[in-house]
């Protein structure tokens, strides 16, 4: 296990080597490899372990009443997924999580943080704080997603999506391909492509492939 890398992950924030080692044992850590396209969590599966991406990209998605898949979120190195469900072992996950690329996933049994022996452990307490911070961030993400998809016009959906995206050097690098972006926004791919072309024509954006 590469402890230097784990120290950079949000869930292990403020922990040193000994603390991380202790937490990994406490939370029954195990690592699994997935090939691109493999399912990590099945829809409505009972989730006992949350996942942390060590390498690769995972994709969470849900389904509408017609069974159509809608992309929700990408998870990259250091990202935690399934945390809320893993904290409530009786809950079934209403998402499907799959490997967008070849992935290495660290699984942690977060429900162990609620056991008596963990409450008084400073290492476990720090991880609990980190998990709470992560879940709060995820809740903000979902609120932003709701605001985006509730916009009636595709241009307004895109404006909000770009507003909430990470911008570096005046650029946004999309984790989505065009179809996945359309699914995320809840629109048809052809309509999305047309509106992006119109926004570029109007001088609002410039884009090339997945770079905005």
């Amino acid at each position: 296990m590469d402890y230097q890398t784990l120290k950079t992950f949000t869930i292990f924030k403020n922990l040193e080597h000994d603390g991380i080692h202790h937490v990994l044992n406490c939370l029954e850590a195990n690592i699994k490899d997935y090939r691109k396209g493999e399912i990590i969590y099945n829809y409505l599966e009972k989730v006992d372990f949350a996942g942390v991406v060590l390498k690769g990209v995972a994709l969470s998605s849900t389904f509408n009443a017609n069974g159509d898949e809608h992309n929700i979120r990408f998870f990259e190195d250091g990202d935690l997924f399934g945390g809320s469900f893993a904290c409530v072992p009786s809950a079934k996950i209403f998402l499907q999580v799959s490997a967008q690329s070849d992935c290495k996933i660290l699984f942690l049994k977060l429900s162990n943080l609620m056991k008596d022996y963990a409450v008084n452990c400073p290492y476990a307490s720090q991880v609990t704080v980190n998990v709470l911070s992560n879940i709060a961030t995820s809740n903000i993400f979902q609120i932003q997603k709701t605001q985006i998809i509730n916009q009636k016009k595709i241009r307004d959906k895109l404006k909000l999506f770009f507003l909430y995206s990470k911008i570096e050097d005046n650029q946004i690098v999309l984790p989505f391909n065009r179809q996945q972006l359309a699914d995320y926004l809840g629109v048809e791919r052809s309509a999305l492509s047309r509106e992006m072309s119109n926004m570029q024509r109007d001088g609002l954006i410039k884009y090339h492939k997945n770079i905005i």
Side-chain angles (χ1 to χ4, degrees):
M1 189 75 68
D2 183 356
Y3 287 91
Q4 285 302 118
T5 299
L6 292 183
K7 284 173 60 176
T8 67
F9 293 173
T10 301
I11 191 170
F12 298 115
K13 182 180 178 180
N14 295 327
L15 291 177
E16 297 299 327
H17 182 286
D18 289 346
I20 294 174
H21 180 76
H22 179 89
V23 166
L24 292 175
N25 287 330
C26 175
L27 302 186
E28 303 176 36
N30 64 91
I31 295 174
K32 293 182 181 179
D33 292 309
Y34 293 87
R35 299 302 296 259
K36 180 179 180 180
E38 279 194 277
I39 303 300
I40 301 172
Y41 292 153
N42 271 308
Y43 187 67
L44 296 182
E45 177 183 355
K46 182 181 176 183
V47 173
D48 292 321
F49 288 77
V52 179
V53 180
L54 296 179
K55 182 179 180 181
V57 180
L59 169 68
S60 68
S61 55
T62 188
F63 303 88
N64 63 19
N66 297 320
D68 299 321
E69 184 177 8
H70 290 272
N71 295 321
I72 299 295
R73 189 174 180 183
F74 283 90
F75 299 93
E76 300 177 303
D77 291 6
D79 288 340
L80 172 74
F81 60 86
S84 297
F85 300 98
C87 288
V88 186
S90 61
K92 293 181 178 180
I93 193 166
F94 51 81
L95 302 169
Q96 177 177 284
V97 181
S98 59
Q100 179 72 5
S101 66
D102 290 352
C103 286
K104 186 180 294 291
I105 306 296
L106 169 67
F107 288 100
L108 301 171
K109 195 170 186 179
L110 296 187
S111 60
N112 285 357
L113 293 172
M114 302 175 191
K115 294 183 177 180
D116 291 341
Y117 66 79
V119 173
N120 296 319
C121 171
Y123 302 134
S125 296
Q126 180 61 58
V127 172
T128 301
V129 170
N130 296 342
V131 169
L132 180 60
S133 175
N134 180 274
I135 291 174
T137 300
S138 294
N139 287 341
I140 292 172
F141 176 88
Q142 293 301 332
I143 291 171
Q144 292 174 342
K145 172 73 185 300
T146 300
Q147 290 177 323
I148 290 169
I149 63 176
N150 281 343
Q151 302 302 309
K152 293 182 178 180
K153 296 181 179 180
I154 297 177
R155 180 170 294 202
D156 291 337
K157 292 176 186 281
L158 284 167
K159 283 181 177 179
L160 272 184
F161 174 76
F162 295 148
L163 177 66
Y164 293 143
S165 297
K166 182 179 179 180
I167 301 175
E168 291 184 349
D169 298 326
N170 208 32
Q171 292 184 343
I172 298 169
V173 180
L174 299 179
F176 307 102
N177 61 35
R178 191 63 54 85
Q179 182 60 58
Q180 290 169 334
L181 178 58
D183 291 342
Y184 180 92
L185 299 175
V187 301
E188 294 294 330
R189 177 178 175 175
S190 58
L192 171 65
S193 295
R194 185 165 56 249
E195 188 55 49
M196 288 184 66
S197 295
N198 291 339
M199 292 177 72
Q200 183 163 251
R201 179 202 63 200
D202 294 342
L204 297 175
I205 61 171
K206 291 182 181 180
Y207 66 88
H208 177 68
K209 295 184 178 180
N210 69 326
I211 298 177
I212 309 296

